[in-house]
Amino acid sequence: MARRITIPVRSFGSEVGIPAVPELAEWLKEKRGVEADLTTYRLERSLDAQEGVAVPAAGGVFYGERLSGAFLGMENGVLVGEPGIEPAAVTEDARFIRTKCKDAWTALPTPHMLGFRDACMGDEEEFSETIADLYARLAREMRDAGVQGHVLIADEADAIELEMLAGRKVLFFPRNPETFDLELLLEYQDTLVLPAAALGRAFDLMERFRVRKLILLDAEGTDLAAAAAELADPDLFEAGGYCKESCPDYWKSLVDRAFISR
């Protein structure tokens, strides 16, 4: 009789839209005594449907607005004064996430996706390093407040960001792996994230780089079975998800099909 092996599902975040005013007002009534706003609502909704997800993640690209507000010395996204951080709002979010799910990570846009520009330092590399350093400090503050780690949603591979931010508690998620420089990513990160349909690319990359974990996005049972046949050890891979819309059904479907039979 075939043995069913459950494959862990990891979330890379959920994009939550702006609710209608009556819906938000009703939600805020439930939060009396709790400091909450539209971003808090979107964080909670991003987690709501992730039941059964082994590594849930609150947040998404939408969290960039809150994150941007934690950087000091900025005016409309332009650095005009002494750079610094004010972590109060993001650490409060981290504590809120912790109350909702003690195992949750947080999904954030990477520094380059925040769109910051320099009008003060006059050196592009120094500016990028400064922003990455401040970003790392904010992430540490959030982890100290209770979130388990960070997913950094990225549109491009930036060497400075990878060098300064990649680590055991920080996982870069290439939003468009087909156009992303995965070779550069794998110089800094030993987790490979690929669409399930691109499984064939995994074996070449895993031969050339030290890959400890393969995460297949939106995998069907046949994709997971193929990965298991090639890799032999199911512990080497996971099923991953990034919900752009219709999240309630998305996560349930992903969890339901994340298994192989042996």
Side-chain angles (χ1 to χ4, degrees):
M1 184 175 180
R3 180 167 62 100
R4 178 182 170 123
I5 301 174
T6 299
I7 303 301
V9 174
R10 175 185 285 271
S11 169
F12 291 109
S14 296
E15 301 304 334
V16 180
I18 305 296
V21 172
E23 180 183 349
L24 181 61
E26 191 63 31
W27 179 83
L28 285 170
K29 286 180 185 177
E30 302 170 2
K31 301 299 176 187
R32 285 181 179 146
V34 177
E35 191 169 332
D37 58 11
L38 176 59
T39 300
T40 319
Y41 168 92
R42 296 171 86 182
L43 286 170
E44 181 171 275
R45 289 290 182 260
S46 72
L47 270 177
D48 278 347
Q50 294 187 42
E51 184 177 353
V53 173
V55 187
V61 174
F62 72 81
Y63 196 72
E65 183 175 352
R66 176 88 94 212
L67 197 62
S68 296
F71 286 80
L72 302 177
M74 296 284 182
E75 288 186 8
N76 299 317
V78 179
L79 182 68
V80 295
E82 183 68 25
I85 57 170
E86 173 44 72
V90 297
T91 54
E92 186 63 30
D93 288 336
R95 284 189 283 269
F96 176 78
I97 292 167
R98 172 78 179 185
T99 65
K100 295 293 296 180
C101 178
K102 65 182 180 62
D103 297 322
W105 287 43
T106 302
L108 315 174
T110 44
H112 70 263
M113 292 180 65
L114 299 178
F116 290 151
R117 292 176 290 120
D118 176 37
C120 183
M121 303 181 76
D123 184 294
E124 184 176 347
E125 183 172 333
E126 183 183 2
F127 174 71
S128 295
E129 290 175 349
T130 298
I131 296 299
D133 179 64
L134 296 174
Y135 190 104
R137 288 167 55 191
L138 284 172
R140 283 195 298 271
E141 293 276 359
M142 294 184 77
R143 293 195 295 274
D144 288 346
V147 298
Q148 294 300 302
H150 283 87
V151 170
L152 303 193
I153 303 168
D155 279 342
E156 61 185 54
D158 181 284
I160 289 175
E161 292 177 0
L162 288 166
E163 182 174 356
M164 296 185 66
L165 297 172
R168 189 172 61 88
K169 291 291 186 179
V170 176
L171 180 63
F172 278 77
F173 168 58
R175 188 160 59 160
N176 299 299
E178 296 89 348
T179 58
F180 199 90
D181 187 346
L182 294 174
E183 286 84 357
L184 179 58
L185 174 64
L186 291 174
E187 291 181 14
Y188 297 92
Q189 176 171 294
D190 60 11
T191 296
L192 172 61
V193 184
L194 279 176
L199 177 60
R201 289 188 65 191
F203 307 119
D204 172 63
L205 290 167
M206 293 174 77
E207 283 186 355
R208 294 191 289 122
F209 295 92
R210 185 182 183 185
V211 175
R212 293 184 179 271
K213 184 74 71 175
L214 169 65
I215 303 178
L216 296 178
L217 290 170
D218 299 319
E220 301 290 342
T222 52
D223 303 312
L224 297 172
E230 293 289 342
L231 299 174
D233 186 355
D235 290 340
L236 293 177
F237 64 95
E238 296 175 350
Y242 172 63
C243 187
K244 301 174 185 177
E245 56 188 19
S246 301
C247 293
D249 294 334
Y250 175 86
W251 293 110
K252 183 180 185 307
S253 176
L254 192 61
V255 169
D256 286 349
R257 62 181 188 261
F259 69 92
I260 60 174
S261 297
R262 281 191 166 178

